[in-house]
Amino acid sequence: MITLTHYLVLSGIIFTIGVIGVMVRRSALVIFMCIELMLNSVNLTFIAFSRYLNSLDGQVFVFFVLSVAAAEVVVGLAIIILIFRNKATVNVDEINLMKW
Amino acid sequence: MFEYIWLIPFLPIIGTVINGLLGKKLGDRVVGFVGCTVVGISFLISASLFAQLLSLPSESRFFSKVIYTWIGSGDFKADIGFQLDPLSSLMILVVTGVGFLIHVYSVGYMHKDPGYYRYFAYLNLFTFSMLILVLANNFLLMFVGWEGVGLCSYLLIGYWFEKKSAADAGKKAFVVNRIGDFGFILGIMLIFTTFKTLNFSEVFPKAVDAFSKGDPTITLIAIFLFIGAMGKSAQIPLYVWLPDAMEGPTPVSALIHAATMVTAGVYMVSRCNALYTLAPDSMTLVAIVGAATAIFAASIGLVQNDIKKVLAYSTVSQLGYMFLACGVGAFGAGIFHLMTHAFFKALLFMGAGSVIHAMGGEQDIWKMGALRKHMPVTFLTFLAGTIAITGFPGFAGFFSKDEILWEAFSGAYGSPALWLVGIIAATFTSFYMFRMFFLTFCGEFRGTDEKLHHLHESPGVMTVPLIILAILSAVGGYVGVPHILGGSNVIGSFLAPVFGKGLEGKVEAHGGGESLELILMGVSVVIAVVGLLVAYYLYLANRELPHKLEKKFKGIYKVLLNKYYVDEIYDACIVNPIKNGSIFLWEKFDDRFIDGLVNGVASFFDEGSAVLRRMQTGAIQSYMLSIVIGAVVILGYYLLK
Amino acid sequence: MLETVLFYFFAGAAIISALMLVMRKNPVTCAVSLIITFISFAGLYILLNAHFIAAIQILVYAGAIMVLFLFVIMLLDLKREEDFLSRLKAQKFFGIALAVILLAEVFAAISSINGMFLTRGIYSAENIAEAGGNTKVIGRLLFTDYLLPFEVTSILLIVAIIGAVFLGKKEN
């Protein structure tokens, strides 16, 4: 029998993998993908709860998260392209613009 | 008709708005027209309200109207409300009537002044404030007017602000008035905590009902209010600003510093007569301060050489008379003198203005002389004013001043000593007024030839107000002819509802009664003539004598000429210590300590953040690390809790 | 029984592909492994009776978004990244350690929530089936209770489009 706990544990593992990815990878693109991974793991918890609480609010919420993710990806990728145009790299440790 | 009472102060403020905002574009003619018209209409309304008030039976001559509830907060309520009773109706007549004449006169006097519209805006604003002051039905609104006239006084004294002495005089007036106003504020607060209201119509009956004679609270209130009056009405020790105020344009001196504003203190004390009657000690104080001021200022006036300074000290002295009247319980006499004084002092100032105008700005009476031939109208009207102020029988000053002296002698709180001081001051008055008059208008001209050719009579717009005021100075006294001379003291009985009965005319108490009054009257006539003769002897008949006397009494002369060194004493005792203390606080406390604190805090964060900003490496991954640390800590906290 | 098997299958696929995403050097490989993760997630959503979300997960995420990623990867001439483990500096090591602690804490939190949720909603599997299926019910919810957020989402998307156009166009 698969319980809520199974889904939550899975979600936690995926989330942690995403966190590690953000911290260790250098390519802005891959970091971005890892963020998408984290978003998805959270979506999974929403839907799991939605299932076990007999409520559809979680699924509606995931729908909105999806829309936001779509918007975010569009803008984020545009920014990455711009950075690449200016700096000829997308490695975050070579960009460090957000500095004093 | 009484409903339109709000128009009286409202019209002048319209004039201020028009002249102040548009005056530059409108041109001088329109500005002058607007400035005079609003006050003129105001005067007509005042006159019609006065007439209507007269048509009522004397006990119902009271009207009060609340225009707007200004402040309503819990127990506290302050209205913008106007009150019309014999006292305030008389005041508005004086303010708008004399004010109108002075406005008209200003059209000629201020001709071609670059700040013409500014001048009229201020003058209208002053009229507005003064009307608010006298029409207010509560202390707070009265205080608004009180401050308003103070402000206008400051603005108009410093009207020629590019002149340092004028700017300084304005500042001095403002600061000295502030001291008095502080007393007034304390008085108002004390009234509120005592009575829980500020309305005249509630405070005075409550005071009479709830407090016995000599109650310390009432005495304290009365003294605080009197401190306010001292500042505004230039009494010892706060009189010092008024002589300096002569730096302003002469019509301003006539309107503000002779006829209306400086009498606000007298008006206020009279308005609060119920409180003062309950506090005999404060009455004594008022009387003593008044009498002292009367003689002190008159003695300074004896030797002054500036035509306006003489009049200024004369004004201080006459104000002293009014307070003397209030102090002995003769409020009606005080207000009567206020009115006649407004006529003749405005006349004298405007006459002096006319002289100064003709002399091209010269104010030293030793450089004038023989102006009679060149300025007949000014001469005649000035003569009328001089005779009125010195108290020659039949002229305005005679009746009012005499009533004050008689009350000082015989009134409920009077004493022969006060009378004596008053009569000596009257002698001085007669002397210095005629001294100035002779030196200015008689003898031969002592100025330069150039000035002599320049001499001319002032234009009609200036002389007509002079003539009107001269007539008023001559006949204005007949509203208060005492019973002893077959009159009925119309003004006294008119004002009686406001001042209550039982204070004035306690002749029987002293015995002697009528014959005594006649004797005293005779004395004051004699001393007026004595003053005239001495002045004639010294300054026309025997012109070497004054200089000899000067040498002989060098010490006294110098003290008087330097106004008893009061300004110097104030500078040494009050102004300079405060100044030095302020400089100390500024340089040591403010610059070093306060600034040091503030700068210290700033540089602490400046240097601290210089260190901390190193954390902003720009490496996103270390930021992410911080976020994870934060998440771990927060989650750990909730798990362990 | 089938549910258990499918769950472990999809879960395993998701974890393995997520690890590949983090550890592979080639961005294209990363993208493809992310697509696999998304598809596995879609499978899990179906197991959880969230059919609508599963469908748009495939359409939007695995389809649209990942295609965009691949486009960008190909558009940019990316140098190869060094090996994941070869540049394992102290900071990275510290980061991974922290992430593991975070995971442990998450597990601890999960283990403490059992039986905490007593109130249950009306949307049980039977009710949903009766009302016409998951998609229909969500559609109705979106256009009734969540109408305003739904409409606001459209504004968000427009803004995103405008932003992308603005950022992407050449300056001249």
Side-chain angles (χ1 to χ4, degrees):
Chain A
M1 183 62 194
I2 303 301
T3 61
L4 176 63
T5 313
H6 286 83
Y7 286 102
L8 295 182
V9 167
L10 174 63
S11 163
I13 292 169
I14 301 283
F15 186 83
T16 311
I17 293 172
V19 169
I20 292 171
V22 172
M23 282 192 293
V24 300
R25 292 304 293 256
R26 303 168 67 217
S27 163
L29 270 169
V30 180
I31 288 176
F32 211 179
M33 289 185 215
C34 291
I35 291 171
E36 294 301 318
L37 193 64
M38 287 154 76
L39 273 174
N40 262 277
S41 76
V42 174
N43 283 352
L44 182 63
T45 49
F46 269 124
I47 292 185
F49 273 116
S50 158
R51 166 83 170 80
Y52 286 92
L53 293 178
N54 283 347
S55 159
L56 280 183
D57 292 346
Q59 297 189 17
V60 174
F61 222 101
V62 168
F63 173 80
F64 288 126
V65 172
L66 266 167
S67 331
V68 173
E72 175 215 330
V73 164
V74 167
V75 177
L77 287 177
I79 292 173
I80 288 174
I81 288 174
L82 262 181
I83 289 174
F84 187 78
R85 246 186 234 160
N86 287 325
K87 298 249 172 186
T89 178
V90 290
N91 286 355
V92 287
D93 50 356
E94 290 166 47
I95 298 167
N96 60 358
L97 289 167
M98 295 168 67
K99 195 176 176 181
W100 42 270
Chain B
M1 188 64 198
F2 285 149
E3 299 296 318
Y4 296 111
I5 189 168
W6 58 273
L7 274 174
I8 297 173
F10 188 64
L11 283 166
I13 195 80
I14 290 182
T16 304
V17 172
I18 294 176
N19 284 341
L21 297 181
L22 308 171
K24 219 168 189 169
K25 295 204 181 80
L26 290 176
D28 288 0
R29 293 179 72 91
V30 183
V31 166
F33 178 75
V34 170
C36 297
T37 312
V38 288
V39 181
I41 298 174
S42 214
F43 171 67
L44 292 179
I45 298 173
S46 308
S48 68
L49 288 190
F50 183 74
Q52 203 171 356
L53 203 68
L54 276 181
S55 68
L56 295 170
S58 68
E59 60 276 5
S60 60
R61 281 174 189 163
F62 179 85
F63 170 78
S64 176
K65 181 170 170 58
V66 173
I67 309 290
Y68 176 70
T69 300
W70 176 23
I71 301 171
S73 164
D75 290 343
F76 181 65
K77 190 161 161 287
D79 293 325
I80 296 189
F82 298 132
Q83 169 176 338
L84 195 70
D85 61 2
L87 179 56
S88 60
S89 67
L90 200 66
M91 288 302 291
I92 56 173
L93 270 189
V94 171
V95 171
T96 54
V98 177
F100 174 66
L101 292 174
I102 293 172
H103 274 73
V104 172
Y105 176 90
S106 300
V107 170
Y109 190 85
M110 300 303 285
H111 186 56
K112 296 222 165 114
D113 190 279
Y116 199 74
Y117 67 96
R118 185 162 59 91
Y119 174 84
F120 272 96
Y122 290 165
L123 217 56
N124 281 341
L125 183 64
F126 169 79
T127 313
F128 163 76
S129 308
M130 191 69 203
L131 288 168
I132 292 282
L133 196 164
V134 296
L135 280 174
N137 76 345
N138 61 64
F139 280 102
L140 202 63
L141 189 60
M142 187 189 200
F143 187 68
V144 172
W146 188 270
E147 289 298 302
V149 293
L151 168 73
C152 294
S153 161
Y154 162 76
L155 290 172
L156 284 164
I157 293 170
Y159 173 72
W160 287 310
F161 53 81
E162 62 274 18
K163 225 166 73 185
K164 187 176 182 319
S165 58
D168 284 349
K171 251 188 312 199
K172 187 171 177 183
F174 203 73
V175 172
V176 174
N177 266 301
R178 205 65 304 135
I179 299 169
D181 294 347
F182 187 62
F184 193 12
I185 292 174
L186 288 180
I188 291 176
M189 288 175 181
L190 198 55
I191 288 171
F192 182 69
T193 49
T194 313
F195 299 106
K196 303 287 168 221
T197 175
L198 288 175
N199 280 349
F200 294 147
S201 51
E202 293 170 51
V203 170
F204 300 141
K206 270 191 191 174
V208 174
D209 289 345
F211 291 91
S212 57
K213 215 164 195 167
D215 185 277
T217 315
I218 300 292
T219 309
L220 202 58
I221 289 175
I223 288 174
F224 277 145
L225 292 180
F226 182 56
I227 291 173
M230 274 187 208
K232 193 67 66 193
S233 294
Q235 295 300 292
I236 291 174
L238 300 179
Y239 73 94
V240 286
W241 66 272
L242 187 55
D244 286 23
M246 295 304 129
E247 289 289 344
T250 308
V252 170
S253 309
L255 177 63
I256 301 185
H257 306 118
T260 53
M261 184 192 85
V262 289
T263 60
V266 182
Y267 167 77
M268 192 253 281
V269 169
S270 310
R271 174 59 78 198
C272 303
N273 63 81
L275 298 177
Y276 282 91
T277 338
L278 279 176
D281 291 346
S282 67
M283 294 283 271
T284 314
L285 178 73
V286 173
I288 290 174
V289 168
T293 309
I295 191 164
F296 181 79
S299 68
I300 298 176
L302 292 177
V303 299
Q304 294 302 309
N305 296 324
D306 182 320
I307 188 167
K308 285 182 75 180
K309 282 277 161 73
V310 176
L311 288 173
Y313 282 104
S314 162
T315 304
V316 175
S317 165
Q318 298 299 313
L319 289 165
Y321 271 112
M322 296 176 208
F323 279 110
L324 173 61
C326 294
V328 298
F331 298 102
I335 294 295
F336 181 31
H337 194 57
L338 186 161
M339 186 185 82
T340 56
H341 175 255
F343 295 151
F344 58 66
K345 193 51 72 60
L347 167 63
L348 287 168
F349 263 115
M350 283 164 34
S354 177
V355 168
I356 295 166
H357 200 64
M359 294 290 297
E362 182 58 61
Q363 300 193 4
D364 188 342
I365 47 177
W366 287 100
K367 294 187 177 148
M368 299 174 185
L371 297 184
R372 176 179 42 158
K373 283 171 273 179
H374 306 280
M375 315 177 69
V377 181
T378 308
F379 164 72
L380 281 174
T381 50
F382 206 89
L383 180 63
T386 310
I387 293 178
I389 193 176
T390 48
F392 272 78
F395 283 80
F398 170 72
F399 297 108
S400 57
K401 195 187 243 173
D402 222 61
E403 195 180 336
I404 291 176
L405 289 173
W406 168 237
E407 294 286 351
F409 188 85
S410 70
Y413 298 90
S415 76
L418 289 174
W419 174 82
L420 192 65
V421 171
I423 205 84
I424 294 172
T427 322
F428 286 173
T429 308
S430 173
F431 172 75
Y432 67 66
M433 283 311 298
F434 278 108
R435 166 180 177 264
M436 180 177 78
F437 180 76
F438 290 144
L439 283 176
T440 309
F441 289 98
C442 305
E444 75 278 1
F445 189 71
R446 291 178 297 274
T448 56
D449 285 346
E450 192 194 344
K451 289 250 167 81
L452 186 62
H453 291 299
H454 183 67
L455 284 179
H456 58 84
E457 181 56 276
S458 300
V461 72
M462 285 166 72
T463 50
V464 170
L466 285 178
I467 294 167
I468 297 173
L469 280 173
I471 294 168
L472 284 172
S473 301
V475 303
Y478 288 98
V479 296
V481 180
H483 300 287
I484 191 91
L485 294 179
S488 56
N489 199 354
V490 179
I491 192 163
S493 48
F494 175 64
L495 290 170
V498 182
F499 298 133
K501 292 177 176 99
L503 271 175
E504 292 183 57
K506 281 200 173 169
V507 192
E508 301 78 19
H510 280 271
E514 294 191 354
S515 56
L516 187 61
E517 189 173 354
L518 279 177
I519 291 169
L520 294 182
M521 207 174 272
V523 171
S524 52
V525 172
V526 169
I527 57 107
V529 176
V530 167
L532 163 69
L533 291 178
V534 172
Y536 179 80
Y537 180 68
L538 284 180
Y539 293 97
L540 281 182
N542 201 342
R543 263 180 261 134
E544 289 311 303
L545 201 55
H547 298 290
K548 283 183 198 155
L549 285 175
E550 248 172 57
K551 294 215 173 71
K552 201 167 178 191
F553 299 102
K554 211 172 169 189
I556 300 176
Y557 178 75
K558 250 186 120 176
V559 169
L560 289 179
L561 193 64
N562 287 299
K563 310 142 197 168
Y564 293 100
Y565 296 101
V566 168
D567 279 338
E568 285 76 6
I569 293 169
Y570 280 4
D571 271 352
C573 297
I574 301 168
V575 178
N576 284 336
I578 291 180
K579 219 167 165 180
N580 292 338
S582 313
I583 289 174
F584 171 79
L585 287 178
W586 157 45
E587 285 180 344
K588 298 288 183 298
F589 188 72
D590 194 64
D591 271 9
R592 298 263 175 84
F593 183 67
I594 305 247
D595 284 9
L597 270 183
V598 174
N599 292 340
V601 171
S603 56
F604 169 76
F605 282 107
D606 185 31
E607 275 155 33
S609 51
V611 174
L612 287 179
R613 73 175 184 175
R614 299 274 156 200
M615 285 170 64
Q616 305 286 322
T617 55
I620 315 173
Q621 288 175 315
S622 56
Y623 297 169
M624 185 65 196
L625 197 67
S626 317
I627 295 175
V628 176
I629 293 172
V632 167
V633 170
I634 292 172
L635 204 55
Y637 170 76
Y638 278 106
L639 283 173
L640 293 175
K641 201 173 73 168
Chain C
M1 189 57 210
L2 181 66
E3 195 195 353
T4 314
V5 172
L6 285 174
F7 173 77
Y8 282 113
F9 173 70
F10 286 129
I15 290 174
I16 290 166
S17 55
L19 283 173
M20 293 214 349
L21 161 66
V22 177
M23 298 177 45
R24 297 308 292 195
K25 285 173 281 187
N26 190 340
V28 178
T29 321
C30 293
V32 172
S33 26
L34 187 57
I35 293 175
I36 296 171
T37 320
F38 286 163
I39 292 172
S40 328
F41 267 58
L44 291 170
Y45 293 162
I46 292 173
L47 285 183
L48 288 166
N49 282 342
H51 307 118
F52 174 67
I53 297 295
I56 60 168
Q57 170 84 4
I58 303 266
L59 282 174
V60 176
Y61 257 128
I65 293 182
M66 289 322 295
V67 166
L68 208 57
F69 265 103
L70 284 169
F71 264 134
V72 172
I73 290 166
M74 290 168 190
L75 209 62
L76 309 180
D77 180 25
L78 292 176
K79 282 169 286 183
R80 280 168 63 89
E81 212 180 334
E82 301 94 282
D83 199 10
F84 164 59
L85 289 168
S86 68
R87 283 187 83 249
L88 197 62
K89 289 188 191 161
Q91 190 202 328
K92 289 186 182 176
F93 180 77
F94 187 52
I96 292 171
L98 267 175
V100 173
I101 296 172
L102 185 66
L103 183 63
E105 283 183 343
V106 168
F107 284 170
I110 291 169
S111 67
S112 66
I113 63 170
N114 275 335
M116 273 171 69
F117 306 102
L118 297 174
T119 51
R120 283 168 170 253
I122 53 165
Y123 294 103
S124 64
E126 300 78 40
N127 284 351
I128 290 173
E130 221 171 87
N134 176 269
T135 309
K136 193 172 179 178
V137 176
I138 287 195
R140 188 169 293 137
L141 263 182
L142 279 177
F143 283 96
T144 53
D145 292 1
Y146 292 94
L147 184 61
L148 183 66
F150 183 73
E151 295 299 338
V152 172
T153 307
S154 61
I155 297 174
L156 175 74
L157 290 173
I158 286 183
V159 171
I161 291 165
I162 295 172
V165 169
F166 177 76
L167 289 171
K169 80 173 185 194
K170 295 234 172 156
E171 287 168 45
N172 48 16

